Every structure is written in C-alpha cells, then in structure tokens.
Amino acid sequence: PTVADRRVLTDTPGQRLYAVTLAGDPDEFAHAVFDDHDAQVLEATHTHERTVVRVRCPSREAFAALREAVESRYGRFRTRRMYSEEAPDDGGVVTPAQREALVTALEAGYFEVPRRCSQADLAAALDVSDQAVSSRLRRGTAALVRNVLGGGD
C-alpha cells in the first residue's frame, strides 16, 4: 500500500531489484519521526521482509520516544544494539567488576583450551569468592554477546 509504482531494474536468479515510487508523501512519517526526535539516520536497508535502520540519538530519552513512535505506527521495533560513543572500548556494556574479571581471565589463560588457570585462581587474583568470579564472567560475557553480536533480547 505504500508503493504507487514499481519497475524491475535487474532480474537475476534469486534476486530482483526494483525501482519504486512511494505512495503519498514519503516525509509524512519516515523522515519526520526521525527529525522530531533529533535522530540522525546513519544507514538504512530495506527488503520485502523488514527495514533495518542505524540511528544516532542525542539521549536515551530521545531513543525511547523514537521507539514509541515507530511501534505505534508499525507495531514492531527491535533494538539490536545500543552504545554510547563516549563509552570505553567494550561499548560500556559491562560493569567495571565484570570488565576486570573478563580481562584478568583472558590474560591468565582462563579462556584458552586447555585452560591455564582455574576459576579459583581467578578468585584469588581478584580477591573475591569463586561464586563472584563465576557470576561476573557469565554476566559480562552475556552482556558482550548481546550488545556486540546482537544476540538475546
């Protein structure tokens, strides 16, 4: 319903590229909603299944408002990753304690096969309990996978 006219530009096995003319005013929602929330579109990819947009928002509040506007219009919005440009190298996704545990574990050979140190060795090096090391490693790893690789919710 959003396309007024289309024509095939390229038709190869497994791929067809169209040129389209949108119905109505394309600024009606798409551009206006980003402008209204001071969001800068960095990249956009459209397929027949979905639209993926990378945006830069001035604040988490602006992002939340943008999300609400898109969900109210289209019913679906999925955040793959969020990070702060001023954040440290890990993207600001792990706590300082998790970062310390992860870096210490990496440097000590905990992630190597076979391991060069045990969880108890890490606990002693960090002066915390085995359970605290385990928790920091699991939660830190999960946060990195979610935010760097886009897994999980």
Side-chain angles (χ1 to χ4, degrees):
T2 60
V3 176
D5 184 42
R6 67 175 170 81
R7 65 185 169 90
V8 177
L9 295 177
T10 305
D11 196 0
T12 60
Q15 186 174 10
R16 183 175 290 159
L17 180 64
Y18 292 96
V20 298
T21 302
L22 298 176
D25 182 4
D27 290 334
E28 173 192 339
F29 179 77
H31 297 279
V33 75
F34 291 105
D35 287 343
D36 290 348
H37 297 93
D38 295 323
Q40 178 184 10
V41 176
L42 302 176
E43 179 181 345
T45 305
H46 307 282
T47 68
H48 68 284
E49 296 173 337
R50 67 176 172 247
T51 299
V52 177
V53 182
R54 285 184 52 225
V55 297
R56 178 179 291 137
C57 293
S59 67
R60 286 188 180 265
E61 292 79 17
F63 178 79
L66 174 67
R67 177 184 186 126
E68 185 177 312
V70 171
E71 282 180 333
S72 71
R73 173 72 179 230
Y74 298 106
R76 185 158 187 253
F77 185 104
R78 179 174 168 224
T79 304
R80 283 192 173 167
R81 247 171 278 188
M82 184 180 289
Y83 66 94
S84 170
E85 291 182 341
E86 292 85 29
D89 291 342
D90 63 16
V93 299
V94 296
T95 67
Q98 291 168 350
R99 187 181 202 298
E100 180 185 28
L102 288 163
V103 170
T104 301
L106 180 65
E107 291 172 349
Y110 182 78
F111 297 115
E112 293 180 16
V113 178
R115 287 189 170 145
R116 289 189 302 143
C117 76
S118 67
Q119 186 173 301
D121 295 333
L122 290 176
L126 295 168
D127 197 28
V128 297
S129 70
D130 285 8
Q131 184 175 353
V133 168
S134 174
S135 177
R136 291 174 188 182
L137 292 176
R138 284 184 288 110
R139 288 185 176 136
T141 301
L144 288 171
V145 169
R146 233 184 348 269
N147 288 283
V148 175
L149 301 178
D153 295 329

